[in-house]
Amino acid sequence: MDRSTELINHPYRAPDAFEAAMPGIHKASTVLFPTVADMRSRQWTDKSAYTYGLHGTPTTFTLEERLATLEGGRYCVLVPSGLAAIALVDLAFLQPADEVLLPDNAYGPGRDFLCVEMARWGVKTQVYDALNPADLALKISDHTRLVWLEAAGSITLEFPDVPACVAVINAANAKRPSGARQILSALDNTWGAGIAFQPFDMGVDISMHALTKYPSGGGDVLMGSVVTRDPALHETLQMCHMRLGLAVGANDAELVLRSLPTAHLRYARQDAVTRRLAEWALTRPEFSHVLHPALSESPGHAVWARDCTGAACLFTVVFQPRYSQAQVDAFCDRLQLFGIGYSWAGPQSLVVPYQLPESRARLWPHGCGVVRFAIGLADAQDLQNDLAQSLDAL
Ligand SMILES: *Cc1c(COP(=O)(O)O)cnc(C)c1O
């Protein structure tokens, strides 16, 4: 044989008995079968064998199992971003004439996916008051198929009563004729990360998670997951996922596998520093509100205290109305230790000024001057000093 052939069809096989603390990384589009009969009979859906890179490798199977454990679920599918995880849930379970209920403080790009893309396929989206389960009950109709939950809400971090919302959904399902499609609940669990609270113990059907945040922890990977306890829901997700061709790369899966063992440590550390800074922010006269579920003035605080053992690394401030948007922007620009950029839960602290629509005014009617901080892994006093120097310059 020519050496070029030999290099491809090489006879050496490393011995199987290799054990290391970290799992090996397997990369494949093609998976090889010893015989045609084996190729025809292989099953991948129960993780008992491999058929094609898109259907899973030892690396993705391992990451899926660990993420299902993290969130207290049984099954997991991996997708290339958190937003793709939201889209997968919508695509797997919705059909024309279905209605979706979305909290008024939901992650914006997920709302846009429903209101722009799914709307083209005849799916109707309605918004409910995230803090009012009675409003959710009022908006459920015979066409409702899916209710999204988000704890805490995007940017403004209101904490919803998830068990009360699930009770509303269960009551509506109990009234449906037997054989009718049931209303599913799906929670965006990125904030809790499987650490601050246990969504499946609260009766949620589906948990989606932007692994881009804590499970990556590095600010360098985009990935998402959808976890369930119910085998029939998982099968629907798994088949839709396969037909859409949503694979994740082995190198990215490796980075998440590597970061996952420190997720609880990072969560606790970032939680402690974030709370300290949020409490300090309360003492500053420049802000009219400081939003963090552990602060008693923050909407949903009592529910958070009842249901959670921790909080994510986010807090939001609302500047007094005397500050213009230009001053607020200049405050962000002057920060030295906070990068201006989206996402969170990496080592780098981040800041983003937002302009919220009127519909999200709640406690803070003066619209502009809303700034969200994502606290990274830097020293708390250094971060506080940086915030103080930029406030003082106002
Ligand atoms: C970041 C985020 C997403 C989307 O994740 P990407 O990986 O950036 O697509 C969804 N929901 C929440 C709450 C997030 O913070």
Side-chain angles (χ1 to χ4, degrees), residues 103-344:
D104 53 5
N105 54 10
Y107 178 68
R111 182 190 58 222
D112 293 344
F113 182 76
L114 279 169
C115 296
V116 179
E117 301 300 333
M118 294 306 288
R120 292 191 296 117
W121 301 94
V123 172
K124 198 173 138 195
T125 301
Q126 279 208 74
V127 168
Y128 69 92
D129 179 346
L131 294 182
N132 185 0
D135 188 52
L136 173 62
L138 208 64
K139 288 187 174 152
I140 288 180
S141 79
D142 290 346
H143 298 287
T144 306
R145 169 62 171 158
L146 178 66
V147 175
W148 276 101
L149 301 157
E150 193 161 329
S154 189
I155 305 167
T156 39
L157 303 170
E158 304 97 326
F159 208 88
D161 192 335
V162 174
C165 292
V166 169
V168 163
I169 295 164
N170 289 344
N173 277 334
K175 282 196 222 132
R176 289 202 167 174
S178 66
R181 287 157 83 232
Q182 298 275 292
I183 304 166
L184 300 172
S185 54
L187 173 85
D188 185 327
N189 196 27
T190 307
W191 184 94
I195 295 170
F197 65 98
Q198 301 302 313
F200 291 106
D201 294 347
M202 295 178 178
V204 166
D205 295 314
I206 299 160
S207 172
M208 68 70 43
H209 190 167
L211 308 177
T212 307
K213 311 294 166 44
Y214 284 103
S216 153
D220 53 0
V221 179
L222 287 154
M223 201 180 290
S225 61
V226 183
V227 171
T228 48
R229 274 187 182 169
D230 182 290
L233 293 182
H234 175 65
E235 192 187 322
T236 302
L237 286 161
Q238 196 180 27
M239 289 299 141
C240 183
H241 175 264
M242 174 191 69
R243 294 184 190 111
L244 288 167
L246 295 173
V248 302
N251 287 349
D252 286 347
E254 174 194 13
L255 288 172
V256 179
L257 277 167
R258 183 150 187 203
S259 292
L260 212 50
T262 59
H264 285 76
L265 285 175
R266 289 182 279 106
Y267 199 95
R269 154 84 188 179
Q270 284 168 278
D271 181 0
V273 173
T274 303
R275 279 195 225 193
R276 180 178 147 179
L277 293 172
E279 274 157 23
W280 171 81
L282 274 181
T283 69
R284 293 293 308 208
E286 293 87 350
F287 305 136
S288 67
H289 294 91
V290 181
L291 302 170
H292 181 293
L295 301 178
S296 58
E297 72 151 329
S298 207
H301 164 74
V303 173
W304 171 84
R306 182 192 71 193
D307 291 345
C308 293
T309 56
C313 60
L314 298 170
F315 76 99
T316 296
V317 297
V318 185
F319 276 83
Q320 299 282 5
R322 65 175 174 274
Y323 296 106
S324 67
Q325 188 67 59
Q327 284 177 298
V328 172
D329 292 354
F331 159 80
C332 296
D333 284 336
R334 258 192 315 270
L335 292 168
Q336 299 297 304
L337 301 181
F338 290 78
I340 299 166
Y342 298 110
S343 200
W344 44 283

